[in-house]
Amino acid sequence: MQKINGNTDGIRRSYLTQLETVYDMEFDRKDFCSVEIIEVLCAFTGVTGREAMLYIDRSGRIETVYVGEADRVSLPSLSKRRSDNRLSGMRCVHTHPGGDGHLSDVDIQSLKSLKLDAMAAVGVLNGKPTFMQVAILSERVGDEHFTVNHYGPYKIDRVPDELLWGEIALADENIRPHESKKAEAEIARTILVGIGDKSNESLEELKQLADTAGFITVGRLFQPRAKPDKATYLGQGRLADLVLEIQRINADAVIFDDELSPGQIRNIQKALGKTEIIDRTALILDIFAGRASTHEGRLQVELAQTKYMLPRMTGFWTHLNRMGGGGGGGGGARRGEGETQLEVDRRILRRRIDELEREINKIKTRREVQRVARERSNIPVVALVGYTNAGKSTLMNRLSGSDVLAEDKLFATLDPVSRRVNYGSGEFLLVDTVGFINKLPHDLVNAFRATLEEAKFADLLLHIVDASADDHIHQMEIVDTVLKELGAGGNPTLTVYNKCDKPQFRFETDGTGAAKIETNAEQIAISAKTGMGLDNLKSAVTHHLANLRTHLHVLLPLNAGGILSRVYEVGKVQLCDYREDGILLQATLPIADAMRIRGVALEVYE
């Protein structure tokens, strides 16, 4: 467990231990802060008379907790500053002893100087919260001055989360200098480069990736060839054409449609000079790094990035070839004679890889424990799988009533999401997984294997297909290949052809969303955006899960209260009648539970 920072002198260890529990408290990332966390802060302030403060990042993770004096807490510098021209990505929530939750001038100054997403104060009286006030930056005035908007006071269970998040997003845009916006737009000019046996239409997906990463595509260069040149990826003549094209359109970066070897990077860099070189793997890793919001997701992406970086260090950082020099005084650790800085940094990266793998293995173990508990509860699992941007998150929202981020971008959501769903025939768990993509980096597949294995253990896979895409057949093949690698290739699968509302949709429908081309129940056409065909999909899911359940009609002993609790937990009860001779029960529930209950029943009726 992480420790409490700040002035903890004179505070009982039991109080600090209770405060430390906030590190393990989870809450929905769309909430500004949870009531439970605020209550813990207030209880601590009530018994100690000290201010308590915490930083929360945008994924909802508690970054750090600090303790101050009765009238102040010194705010630490932020370790996750994104840019001097953007908000820090952190919000601060702290307590005010005495009951007054209004923000002080010092609070507002800290909000400005640290460029926090928001500053919130909670008044505390007798260990209980009185009200909360929130401040968010509004606009930049000059170089280093900002206007501030105040919100509240609010009761802690009445905080308008959606309003505050909207204001934070607006502030993140408004505080950026106009010069910075213009400069960023000019920097992101790139040329896409690829090879293959087809036309440069194969670069269309690379353009989508570049758009997602924030680049502006200003040119394309394609060379028809069976495989890349071992030294320079492109042939020498085409590489010379690329140099001229960069000069002609003033491009700042070149993005290659394959993973480049360290030697290729080195040789291409010699030809292109200062132009930035990015390969497909680095681009995807950069997108994943920006989209990972959970602790596990960030660890997995960092592991893949570190493994990718290790063999390419000489290609990117020429200063790392400096000699370490051997001698040196002082009490620190010493490098060996003649050891290069490159060797030292490689050793650091290898050590970091070991640390990340150990931490991810711990998370995997916890996930396996949770899966075992879920299997014991016999709750069926339905997993959404498919190519990135096929519409999985939009369908997740439609089927579960949740509000998962859904955008027309590649990898709009990265971290897995699960929701309990019940259509009246029993409860099941609906899981959304990360989208697949062509040439998905091997290290990234391995890093996210624990997450993707949700599909392996699912009772039903919903393979979501963007049937409006020209290459949707190829996309389906890629998804099938990855599922086989994960050991989920044989799982029961329902193919869902999405985006049937688009004119490019490849299959005719009968107006309700049912596909005309196939009457097979394993294929359904829908539009997750408009809702067309969703009733057919729900019926198909319910029909499949019904095969995992059975009808039970038994007479149970009068002391079977524990059994009934289990039935209500995992099944659907049609009749429960207490009689003199026992409890007459009719229910639909998982087959394994039904078999156990029949074994203790007084009578079984077929």
Side-chain angles (χ1 to χ4, degrees):
M1 184 176 289
Q2 300 182 61
K3 68 175 183 178
I4 304 299
N5 302 284
N7 182 13
T8 59
D9 293 342
I11 299 177
R12 288 184 184 178
R13 182 62 224 172
S14 59
Y15 296 157
L16 295 175
T17 300
Q18 182 62 31
L19 187 59
E20 286 172 350
T21 61
V22 301
Y23 281 116
D24 296 323
M25 291 185 177
E26 297 182 356
F27 62 97
D28 197 316
R29 59 181 297 181
K30 71 178 182 295
D31 294 340
F32 184 81
C33 187
S34 76
V35 172
E36 291 76 14
I37 288 176
I38 293 174
E39 288 177 340
V40 171
L41 295 181
C42 292
F44 176 84
T45 297
V47 296
T48 64
R50 305 275 194 93
E51 285 195 10
M53 182 280 297
L54 53 81
Y55 280 146
I56 310 175
D57 68 17
R58 291 191 180 179
S59 69
R61 188 169 70 97
I62 306 301
E63 178 69 16
T64 188
V65 180
Y66 269 76
V67 172
E69 306 297 337
D71 58 347
R72 67 188 182 280
V73 57
S74 299
L75 296 181
S77 60
L78 296 173
S79 61
K80 289 195 172 184
R81 294 294 298 275
R82 300 187 298 165
S83 165
D84 288 339
N85 296 324
R86 304 292 297 274
L87 294 179
S88 67
M90 296 282 185
R91 57 193 183 276
C92 175
V93 179
H94 69 291
T95 57
H96 281 180
D100 187 1
H102 289 99
L103 291 160
S104 67
D105 292 339
V106 175
D107 293 335
I108 299 302
Q109 186 56 43
S110 297
L111 170 70
K112 294 178 178 179
S113 62
L114 297 175
K115 295 188 181 70
L116 297 170
D117 281 1
M119 172 67 77
V122 182
V124 181
L125 194 62
N126 298 323
K128 301 292 184 182
T130 56
F131 63 86
M132 172 193 285
Q133 187 178 40
V134 181
I136 299 173
L137 297 180
S138 176
E139 293 182 344
R140 182 185 291 267
V141 181
D143 292 333
E144 293 297 330
H145 299 285
F146 306 93
T147 57
V148 176
N149 289 332
H150 290 74
Y151 304 88
Y154 305 117
K155 293 291 186 181
I156 64 168
D157 59 348
R158 295 289 186 272
V159 177
D161 304 301
E162 186 174 349
L163 168 67
L164 296 180
W165 277 119
E167 294 300 312
I168 290 171
L170 190 61
D172 210 7
E173 183 67 26
N174 287 344
I175 71 166
R176 298 166 64 191
H178 294 295
E179 295 78 7
S180 172
K181 297 176 187 177
K182 180 179 179 181
E184 289 179 13
E186 292 176 350
I187 288 173
R189 294 170 58 85
T190 186
I191 296 176
L192 308 181
V193 177
I195 65 170
D197 55 0
K198 299 180 180 179
S199 68
N200 64 3
E201 291 180 358
S202 63
L203 295 179
E204 187 57 38
E205 184 174 84
L206 186 65
K207 181 182 182 302
Q208 290 181 298
L209 286 169
D211 291 344
T212 302
F215 290 95
I216 297 175
T217 300
V218 294
R220 301 186 187 194
L221 190 146
F222 185 85
Q223 182 177 27
R225 59 183 299 156
K227 58 182 180 180
D229 184 271
K230 292 183 179 180
T232 56
Y233 184 75
L234 297 171
Q236 289 295 333
R238 210 67 176 123
L239 184 61
D241 292 341
L242 177 59
V243 174
L244 294 176
E245 187 69 6
I246 292 171
Q247 295 173 351
R248 186 181 70 82
I249 61 180
N250 194 27
D252 301 286
V254 177
I255 301 178
F256 291 82
D257 195 31
D258 292 280
E259 182 174 315
L260 300 176
S261 68
Q264 287 173 328
I265 292 174
R266 215 165 29 243
N267 295 329
I268 295 171
Q269 195 74 72
K270 290 178 182 178
L272 303 190
K274 295 182 179 179
T275 305
E276 184 179 5
I277 297 173
I278 304 168
D279 65 13
R280 184 185 181 93
T281 298
L283 184 65
I284 293 175
L285 289 173
D286 183 62
I287 294 171
F288 271 55
R291 296 295 170 88
S293 57
T294 64
H295 177 57
E296 179 184 1
R298 286 190 293 267
L299 288 176
Q300 290 166 332
V301 172
E302 184 183 351
L303 175 61
Q305 285 180 316
T306 307
K307 286 185 174 180
Y308 171 82
M309 185 188 307
L310 183 60
R312 294 170 173 79
M313 296 178 70
T314 54
F316 289 115
W317 297 283
T318 55
H319 74 279
L320 295 181
N321 285 316
R322 294 195 307 269
M323 299 298 291
R334 295 170 54 187
R335 298 195 299 269
E337 292 251 359
E339 186 178 24
T340 64
Q341 184 66 42
L342 174 60
E343 291 168 338
V344 173
D345 289 340
R346 278 179 173 166
R347 189 167 62 249
I348 292 172
L349 285 185
R350 292 190 187 99
R351 188 181 304 125
R352 181 56 180 162
I353 288 173
D354 290 340
E355 293 172 354
L356 290 168
E357 288 179 337
R358 283 196 297 270
E359 186 65 24
I360 289 174
N361 285 334
K362 291 179 182 178
I363 295 174
K364 182 180 180 180
T365 301
R366 290 199 296 269
R367 186 186 295 277
E368 289 173 349
V369 171
Q370 293 169 354
R371 184 180 294 117
V372 170
R374 192 168 64 210
E375 289 173 351
R376 287 175 179 171
S377 69
N378 280 319
I379 298 178
V381 176
V382 178
L384 302 177
V385 298
Y387 209 76
T388 182
N389 206 32
K392 296 188 302 300
S393 295
T394 302
L395 183 59
M396 178 80 171
N397 293 337
R398 281 281 186 176
L399 294 178
S400 66
S402 59
D403 55 353
V404 177
L405 175 65
E407 295 181 301
D408 189 17
K409 291 182 179 179
L410 302 184
F411 305 117
T413 53
L414 175 60
D415 299 300
V417 177
S418 59
R419 296 288 186 271
R420 286 179 179 263
V421 178
N422 193 328
Y423 294 144
S425 59
E427 191 175 54
F428 65 90
L429 194 67
L430 185 64
V431 180
D432 186 13
T433 61
V434 63
F436 303 151
I437 195 169
N438 192 24
K439 303 177 186 177
L440 189 65
H442 180 72
D443 284 334
L444 202 55
V445 173
N446 286 338
F448 277 85
R449 184 171 294 273
T451 300
L452 293 172
E453 280 182 348
E454 291 295 335
K456 178 180 178 180
F457 296 98
D459 298 284
L460 174 64
L461 299 180
L462 298 185
H463 181 175
I464 315 304
V465 180
D466 178 3
S468 68
D470 292 334
D471 61 342
H472 71 275
I473 299 298
H474 180 54
Q475 293 179 3
M476 293 172 68
E477 293 172 349
I478 292 170
V479 173
D480 289 339
T481 299
V482 176
L483 289 175
K484 289 177 182 177
E485 291 177 358
L486 295 170
N491 286 28
T493 303
L494 176 64
T495 303
V496 182
Y497 295 102
N498 189 26
K499 305 187 182 181
C500 68
D501 57 308
K502 290 191 173 184
Q504 307 98 315
F505 187 71
R506 290 296 182 274
F507 303 102
E508 295 183 36
T509 65
D510 60 7
T512 66
K516 280 186 177 180
I517 58 153
E518 296 274 357
T519 57
N520 186 344
E522 298 302 307
Q523 300 189 46
I524 291 180
I526 68 162
S527 169
K529 182 178 180 181
T530 66
M532 181 184 297
L534 287 188
D535 288 341
N536 291 336
L537 176 58
K538 292 178 180 178
S539 297
V541 172
T542 301
H543 174 76
H544 177 86
L545 296 181
N547 293 332
L548 304 176
R549 294 170 175 262
T550 187
H551 183 70
L552 182 70
H553 187 189
V554 295
L555 182 68
L556 297 176
L558 289 172
N559 62 353
I563 295 176
L564 283 177
S565 298
R566 175 66 179 175
V567 172
Y568 277 100
E569 180 183 351
V570 302
K572 179 178 176 58
V573 176
Q574 289 89 31
L575 173 67
C576 183
D577 184 20
Y578 284 81
R579 308 190 317 189
E580 290 185 0
D581 57 342
I583 306 171
L584 184 63
L585 175 69
Q586 293 186 40
T588 303
L589 69 167
I591 293 174
D593 284 284
M595 292 177 62
R596 285 193 291 268
I597 293 173
R598 287 191 179 102
V600 298
L602 299 176
E603 289 191 46
V604 178
Y605 308 102
E606 297 299 337

